[in-house]
Amino acid sequence: MENSDFMTDTSSSPQGIVATIAGVFRQNRVPCLVLNAVVLTLVGSYYLMPSVAGVWESVGEFKLRWSYAFSLGSTVFAAVLLPSLVQVVMGTLPKEGRWKRVGLLALFWGYRGMEIDLFYRLQGWLFGTGNDAGTLLTKVLVDQFVMSPLWFVPTYLIALRWVDMGGSWSRTRASLGRDFWTRTLPTVLLTNWLVWIPTLALVYSLPAALQFPLFSVVMCFFILIVTLLARERK
């Protein structure tokens, strides 16, 4: 599972969810292409450039040494701290309640980073760590068509609602109406597939120790792109 924090239009309109998804695709086709180009470059650098591969191996050793502490810290940095800093510099981070929001986001993304790390390990244990086509296809299918619709995307969206509601679970529950389940969730899920199906095929092609570090780098680039595009569209 991976972050789906694209800019989405989930308003109730006569055109329905098909029009909403089409609009999301038009909005996000550029960051999708940029993101996948970044991933392809990073994976290619590992397999085709021995000097860069040595750097990647060092990162993998660091990840193995720090285990879940690495997944927690790197995800909080990539998904919360860096984009918040960029928003402060651009003047787009709201002043009211900003530190509470950053803290709530850090709680969620710290947990989610460790959860994704555990999921990658579980996939390796169940299906092996090879990079043959069958193994990669199986991992991507389980990730995107089992875990993402059943757990990763719904809990991600609910967590964001929780942050938006200032950490109030009662207000969060009250906001999860029909539109959330019939429009917001399907739209974000399809956007998630648009981004992460090709990306994950590359992530899973790496050795197990490097899969989460690559995910962290991709997350960093992804959220920076979204943050900058959000500023341009204001």
Coordinates of all heavy atoms in Angstrom, one line a residue, residues 15-78:
Q15 N -22.5 14.4 -13.0 CA -21.8 13.5 -13.9 C -21.4 12.2 -13.2 O -21.1 11.2 -13.8 CB -20.5 14.2 -14.4 CG -20.7 15.3 -15.4 CD -21.1 16.6 -14.7 OE1 -21.0 16.7 -13.5 NE2 -21.6 17.6 -15.5
G16 N -21.4 12.3 -11.8 CA -21.1 11.1 -11.1 C -19.7 10.7 -11.0 O -18.8 11.5 -11.4
I17 N -19.4 9.6 -10.5 CA -18.0 9.2 -10.1 C -17.2 9.0 -11.4 O -16.0 9.2 -11.3 CB -18.1 7.9 -9.3 CG1 -16.7 7.6 -8.7 CG2 -18.5 6.7 -10.2 CD1 -16.6 6.5 -7.7
V18 N -17.7 8.6 -12.5 CA -16.9 8.5 -13.7 C -16.3 9.8 -14.1 O -15.1 9.9 -14.4 CB -17.8 7.9 -14.9 CG1 -16.9 7.9 -16.2 CG2 -18.3 6.5 -14.6
A19 N -17.1 10.9 -14.1 CA -16.6 12.2 -14.4 C -15.5 12.6 -13.4 O -14.5 13.3 -13.7 CB -17.7 13.2 -14.5
T20 N -15.7 12.3 -12.1 CA -14.8 12.6 -11.1 C -13.5 12.0 -11.3 O -12.4 12.6 -11.2 CB -15.3 12.2 -9.7 OG1 -16.6 12.8 -9.5 CG2 -14.4 12.6 -8.6
I21 N -13.5 10.7 -11.6 CA -12.3 9.9 -11.9 C -11.5 10.5 -13.1 O -10.3 10.6 -13.1 CB -12.6 8.4 -12.1 CG1 -13.1 7.9 -10.7 CG2 -11.3 7.7 -12.5 CD1 -13.7 6.5 -10.8
A22 N -12.3 10.8 -14.1 CA -11.7 11.4 -15.3 C -11.0 12.7 -15.0 O -9.9 13.0 -15.5 CB -12.7 11.6 -16.4
G23 N -11.6 13.5 -14.1 CA -11.0 14.8 -13.7 C -9.7 14.6 -12.9 O -8.7 15.3 -13.1
V24 N -9.8 13.5 -12.0 CA -8.6 13.2 -11.2 C -7.4 12.8 -12.2 O -6.3 13.2 -11.9 CB -8.9 12.1 -10.2 CG1 -7.7 11.5 -9.6 CG2 -9.9 12.6 -9.2
F25 N -7.7 12.0 -13.2 CA -6.7 11.6 -14.1 C -6.1 12.8 -14.8 O -4.9 12.9 -14.9 CB -7.3 10.6 -15.1 CG -6.2 10.1 -16.1 CD1 -5.3 9.2 -15.8 CD2 -6.2 10.7 -17.4 CE1 -4.4 8.8 -16.7 CE2 -5.3 10.3 -18.3 CZ -4.3 9.3 -18.0
R26 N -6.9 13.7 -15.3 CA -6.4 14.9 -16.0 C -5.5 15.7 -15.0 O -4.5 16.2 -15.5 CB -7.5 15.7 -16.5 CG -8.3 15.1 -17.7 CD -9.1 16.1 -18.4 NE -10.2 16.6 -17.5 CZ -11.4 16.0 -17.4 NH1 -11.7 14.9 -18.1 NH2 -12.3 16.5 -16.5
Q27 N -5.9 15.9 -13.8 CA -5.2 16.6 -12.8 C -3.8 16.0 -12.5 O -2.8 16.7 -12.4 CB -6.0 16.8 -11.5 CG -7.0 17.8 -11.5 CD -7.6 18.0 -10.1 OE1 -8.1 17.0 -9.6 NE2 -7.6 19.2 -9.6
N28 N -3.8 14.7 -12.5 CA -2.6 14.0 -11.9 C -1.8 13.3 -12.9 O -0.8 12.6 -12.5 CB -3.1 13.1 -10.8 CG -3.8 13.8 -9.7 OD1 -3.4 14.8 -9.2 ND2 -5.0 13.3 -9.3
R29 N -2.0 13.4 -14.2 CA -1.2 12.6 -15.2 C 0.2 13.1 -15.1 O 1.1 12.2 -15.3 CB -1.8 12.7 -16.5 CG -1.9 14.1 -17.1 CD -2.6 14.2 -18.5 NE -2.6 15.5 -19.1 CZ -3.5 16.4 -18.9 NH1 -4.4 16.2 -18.0 NH2 -3.4 17.6 -19.5
V30 N 0.5 14.3 -14.9 CA 1.9 14.8 -14.9 C 2.7 14.3 -13.7 O 3.7 13.7 -13.9 CB 2.0 16.3 -15.0 CG1 3.4 16.8 -14.8 CG2 1.4 16.8 -16.3
P31 N 2.1 14.4 -12.5 CA 2.9 13.8 -11.4 C 3.0 12.3 -11.4 O 4.0 11.7 -11.0 CB 2.1 14.2 -10.1 CG 0.8 14.8 -10.6 CD 1.0 15.2 -12.0
C32 N 2.0 11.6 -12.1 CA 2.1 10.2 -12.2 C 3.3 9.8 -13.1 O 4.1 9.0 -12.8 CB 0.8 9.6 -12.9 SG -0.5 9.4 -11.8
L33 N 3.4 10.5 -14.2 CA 4.5 10.3 -15.2 C 5.9 10.6 -14.5 O 6.9 9.9 -14.6 CB 4.3 11.1 -16.5 CG 3.2 10.6 -17.3 CD1 3.0 11.6 -18.5 CD2 3.4 9.2 -17.9
V34 N 5.9 11.7 -13.8 CA 7.2 12.2 -13.2 C 7.6 11.2 -12.1 O 8.8 10.7 -12.0 CB 7.0 13.6 -12.6 CG1 8.2 13.9 -11.7 CG2 6.9 14.6 -13.7
L35 N 6.6 10.7 -11.3 CA 6.9 9.8 -10.2 C 7.4 8.5 -10.8 O 8.5 8.0 -10.3 CB 5.7 9.6 -9.4 CG 5.8 8.6 -8.2 CD1 6.7 9.2 -7.2 CD2 4.4 8.4 -7.6
N36 N 6.8 7.9 -11.8 CA 7.2 6.7 -12.3 C 8.6 6.8 -13.0 O 9.4 5.8 -13.0 CB 6.2 6.1 -13.2 CG 5.0 5.5 -12.5 OD1 5.2 4.4 -11.9 ND2 3.9 6.1 -12.4
A37 N 8.9 8.0 -13.6 CA 10.2 8.2 -14.2 C 11.3 8.2 -13.1 O 12.4 7.7 -13.3 CB 10.2 9.5 -15.0
V38 N 11.0 8.8 -12.0 CA 11.9 8.8 -10.9 C 12.2 7.4 -10.4 O 13.3 7.0 -10.2 CB 11.3 9.7 -9.7 CG1 12.2 9.5 -8.4 CG2 11.3 11.2 -10.1
V39 N 11.1 6.6 -10.2 CA 11.3 5.2 -9.7 C 12.1 4.4 -10.7 O 13.0 3.7 -10.3 CB 9.9 4.6 -9.5 CG1 10.1 3.1 -9.0 CG2 9.1 5.3 -8.5
L40 N 11.8 4.5 -12.0 CA 12.5 3.8 -13.0 C 14.0 4.2 -13.0 O 14.9 3.3 -13.1 CB 11.9 4.1 -14.4 CG 12.5 3.3 -15.6 CD1 12.3 1.8 -15.4 CD2 11.9 3.7 -16.9
T41 N 14.3 5.4 -12.8 CA 15.7 5.9 -12.8 C 16.4 5.3 -11.6 O 17.6 4.9 -11.7 CB 15.7 7.4 -12.7 OG1 15.1 8.0 -13.9 CG2 17.2 7.9 -12.7
L42 N 15.7 5.3 -10.4 CA 16.4 4.8 -9.2 C 16.6 3.3 -9.3 O 17.7 2.9 -8.9 CB 15.5 5.1 -8.0 CG 15.3 6.6 -7.6 CD1 14.3 6.8 -6.5 CD2 16.7 7.2 -7.1
V43 N 15.7 2.6 -9.8 CA 15.9 1.1 -9.9 C 16.9 0.8 -10.9 O 17.8 -0.1 -10.7 CB 14.5 0.4 -10.2 CG1 14.7 -1.1 -10.5 CG2 13.5 0.6 -9.1
G44 N 16.9 1.6 -12.0 CA 17.9 1.4 -13.1 C 19.3 1.7 -12.5 O 20.3 1.0 -12.9
S45 N 19.4 2.7 -11.7 CA 20.7 3.0 -11.1 C 21.3 1.9 -10.3 O 22.5 1.6 -10.2 CB 20.6 4.3 -10.3 OG 19.9 4.1 -9.0
Y46 N 20.4 1.1 -9.6 CA 20.9 0.0 -8.8 C 21.4 -1.2 -9.7 O 22.4 -1.7 -9.4 CB 19.7 -0.5 -7.9 CG 20.1 -1.8 -7.2 CD1 20.9 -1.7 -6.1 CD2 19.6 -3.0 -7.6 CE1 21.3 -2.9 -5.4 CE2 19.9 -4.2 -6.9 CZ 20.8 -4.1 -5.8 OH 21.1 -5.3 -5.2
Y47 N 20.6 -1.5 -10.8 CA 21.0 -2.6 -11.6 C 22.1 -2.3 -12.7 O 22.8 -3.2 -13.1 CB 19.7 -3.2 -12.3 CG 18.9 -4.0 -11.3 CD1 17.6 -3.5 -10.9 CD2 19.3 -5.2 -10.8 CE1 16.8 -4.2 -10.1 CE2 18.5 -5.9 -10.0 CZ 17.2 -5.4 -9.6 OH 16.4 -6.1 -8.7
L48 N 22.2 -1.0 -13.1 CA 23.0 -0.7 -14.2 C 24.3 0.1 -13.8 O 25.2 0.2 -14.6 CB 22.2 0.1 -15.2 CG 21.0 -0.6 -15.8 CD1 20.2 0.3 -16.7 CD2 21.4 -1.9 -16.5
M49 N 24.3 0.6 -12.6 CA 25.5 1.5 -12.2 C 26.1 0.9 -11.0 O 25.6 1.2 -9.9 CB 25.0 2.9 -12.1 CG 24.4 3.5 -13.3 SD 23.7 5.2 -13.0 CE 25.2 6.1 -12.6
P50 N 27.2 0.2 -11.1 CA 27.8 -0.5 -9.9 C 28.1 0.5 -8.8 O 28.0 0.2 -7.6 CB 29.1 -1.1 -10.5 CG 28.7 -1.4 -11.9 CD 27.9 -0.2 -12.3
S51 N 28.6 1.7 -9.1 CA 29.0 2.7 -8.1 C 27.8 3.1 -7.3 O 27.8 3.2 -6.0 CB 29.7 3.9 -8.7 OG 28.8 4.5 -9.6
V52 N 26.7 3.3 -8.0 CA 25.4 3.7 -7.3 C 24.8 2.5 -6.5 O 24.3 2.7 -5.4 CB 24.4 4.3 -8.3 CG1 23.1 4.6 -7.6 CG2 25.0 5.5 -9.0
A53 N 25.0 1.3 -7.1 CA 24.5 0.1 -6.4 C 25.2 0.0 -5.0 O 24.5 -0.4 -4.1 CB 24.8 -1.1 -7.3
G54 N 26.4 0.4 -4.9 CA 27.1 0.3 -3.6 C 26.5 1.2 -2.6 O 26.3 0.9 -1.4
V55 N 26.0 2.4 -3.1 CA 25.3 3.3 -2.1 C 24.0 2.7 -1.7 O 23.6 2.8 -0.5 CB 25.1 4.7 -2.9 CG1 24.2 5.6 -2.0 CG2 26.4 5.3 -3.2
W56 N 23.3 2.1 -2.6 CA 22.0 1.4 -2.3 C 22.2 0.3 -1.3 O 21.5 0.1 -0.4 CB 21.4 0.9 -3.5 CG 20.5 1.9 -4.3 CD1 20.8 2.4 -5.5 CD2 19.3 2.4 -3.9 NE1 19.8 3.3 -5.9 CE2 18.9 3.3 -4.9 CE3 18.5 2.3 -2.8 CZ2 17.7 4.1 -4.9 CZ3 17.3 3.0 -2.7 CH2 16.9 3.9 -3.8
E57 N 23.3 -0.4 -1.5 CA 23.6 -1.5 -0.5 C 23.9 -1.0 0.9 O 23.4 -1.6 1.9 CB 24.8 -2.3 -1.0 CG 24.6 -3.1 -2.3 CD 23.6 -4.2 -2.2 OE1 23.2 -4.6 -1.1 OE2 23.2 -4.8 -3.3
S58 N 24.5 0.1 1.0 CA 24.8 0.8 2.3 C 23.5 1.2 2.9 O 23.3 1.0 4.1 CB 25.7 2.0 2.1 OG 27.0 1.6 1.6
V59 N 22.6 1.7 2.1 CA 21.2 2.1 2.6 C 20.5 0.9 3.1 O 19.9 0.9 4.2 CB 20.4 2.8 1.5 CG1 19.0 3.0 2.0 CG2 21.1 4.1 1.2
G60 N 20.6 -0.2 2.4 CA 19.9 -1.5 2.8 C 20.5 -2.0 4.1 O 19.7 -2.5 5.0
E61 N 21.8 -1.9 4.3 CA 22.4 -2.3 5.5 C 21.9 -1.5 6.7 O 21.7 -2.0 7.8 CB 23.9 -2.3 5.4 CG 24.5 -3.3 4.4 CD 26.0 -3.2 4.2 OE1 26.6 -2.3 4.9 OE2 26.6 -3.9 3.4
F62 N 21.8 -0.2 6.4 CA 21.3 0.8 7.5 C 19.9 0.4 7.8 O 19.5 0.4 9.0 CB 21.4 2.2 6.9 CG 21.1 3.2 8.0 CD1 22.0 3.6 8.9 CD2 19.8 3.9 7.9 CE1 21.7 4.6 9.9 CE2 19.5 4.8 8.9 CZ 20.4 5.2 9.8
K63 N 19.1 0.1 6.8 CA 17.7 -0.3 7.1 C 17.6 -1.5 7.9 O 16.8 -1.6 8.9 CB 17.0 -0.5 5.7 CG 15.7 -1.2 5.8 CD 14.6 -0.5 6.6 CE 13.3 -1.3 6.5 NZ 13.3 -2.6 7.2
L64 N 18.4 -2.5 7.6 CA 18.4 -3.8 8.3 C 18.8 -3.6 9.8 O 18.3 -4.2 10.7 CB 19.3 -4.8 7.7 CG 18.9 -5.4 6.3 CD1 19.9 -6.3 5.7 CD2 17.5 -6.1 6.5
R65 N 19.8 -2.6 10.0 CA 20.3 -2.4 11.3 C 19.2 -1.7 12.2 O 19.1 -2.0 13.4 CB 21.5 -1.5 11.3 CG 22.2 -1.3 12.6 CD 23.4 -0.4 12.5 NE 24.3 -0.9 11.5 CZ 24.7 -0.2 10.4 NH1 24.2 1.0 10.2 NH2 25.5 -0.8 9.5
W66 N 18.5 -0.8 11.6 CA 17.5 0.0 12.4 C 16.1 -0.5 12.3 O 15.2 -0.1 13.1 CB 17.6 1.5 12.0 CG 18.9 2.1 12.5 CD1 20.0 2.3 11.8 CD2 19.1 2.6 13.8 NE1 21.0 2.9 12.6 CE2 20.5 3.1 13.8 CE3 18.4 2.7 14.9 CZ2 21.0 3.7 14.9 CZ3 18.9 3.3 16.1 CH2 20.2 3.8 16.1
S67 N 15.9 -1.4 11.4 CA 14.6 -2.1 11.3 C 13.4 -1.2 11.3 O 13.3 -0.3 10.5 CB 14.5 -3.1 12.5 OG 13.4 -4.0 12.3
Y68 N 12.4 -1.4 12.2 CA 11.2 -0.6 12.2 C 11.5 0.9 12.6 O 10.6 1.7 12.3 CB 10.2 -1.2 13.1 CG 9.6 -2.5 12.6 CD1 10.0 -3.7 13.2 CD2 8.8 -2.5 11.5 CE1 9.5 -4.9 12.6 CE2 8.3 -3.7 11.0 CZ 8.6 -4.9 11.5 OH 8.2 -6.1 11.0
A69 N 12.5 1.1 13.3 CA 12.9 2.5 13.6 C 13.1 3.3 12.4 O 12.8 4.5 12.2 CB 14.1 2.6 14.6
F70 N 13.8 2.6 11.4 CA 14.0 3.3 10.1 C 12.7 3.5 9.4 O 12.5 4.6 8.8 CB 14.9 2.4 9.2 CG 15.2 2.9 7.8 CD1 16.3 3.7 7.6 CD2 14.3 2.6 6.8 CE1 16.5 4.2 6.3 CE2 14.5 3.1 5.5 CZ 15.6 3.9 5.3
S71 N 11.8 2.6 9.3 CA 10.5 2.7 8.6 C 9.7 3.8 9.3 O 9.0 4.6 8.6 CB 9.8 1.4 8.5 OG 9.6 0.8 9.8
L72 N 9.7 3.9 10.6 CA 8.9 4.9 11.3 C 9.5 6.3 10.9 O 8.8 7.2 10.5 CB 9.0 4.7 12.8 CG 8.1 5.7 13.7 CD1 7.8 5.0 15.0 CD2 8.9 7.0 14.0
G73 N 10.8 6.5 11.1 CA 11.5 7.8 11.0 C 11.4 8.3 9.5 O 11.2 9.4 9.3
S74 N 11.7 7.4 8.6 CA 11.8 7.8 7.2 C 10.4 8.2 6.6 O 10.3 9.1 5.8 CB 12.4 6.7 6.3 OG 11.6 5.5 6.4
T75 N 9.4 7.5 7.1 CA 8.0 7.8 6.6 C 7.6 9.1 7.2 O 6.9 9.9 6.5 CB 7.1 6.7 7.0 OG1 7.6 5.4 6.5 CG2 5.7 6.9 6.3
V76 N 7.8 9.3 8.5 CA 7.4 10.6 9.1 C 8.1 11.8 8.4 O 7.6 12.8 8.1 CB 7.7 10.6 10.6 CG1 7.6 12.0 11.2 CG2 6.8 9.7 11.3
F77 N 9.4 11.6 8.1 CA 10.2 12.6 7.4 C 9.6 12.9 6.0 O 9.4 14.1 5.6 CB 11.6 12.3 7.3 CG 12.5 13.2 6.5 CD1 12.9 14.4 7.0 CD2 12.8 12.9 5.1 CE1 13.6 15.3 6.2 CE2 13.5 13.8 4.4 CZ 13.9 15.0 4.9
A78 N 9.4 11.8 5.2 CA 8.9 12.0 3.8 C 7.5 12.4 3.7 O 7.2 13.2 2.8 CB 9.1 10.6 3.1

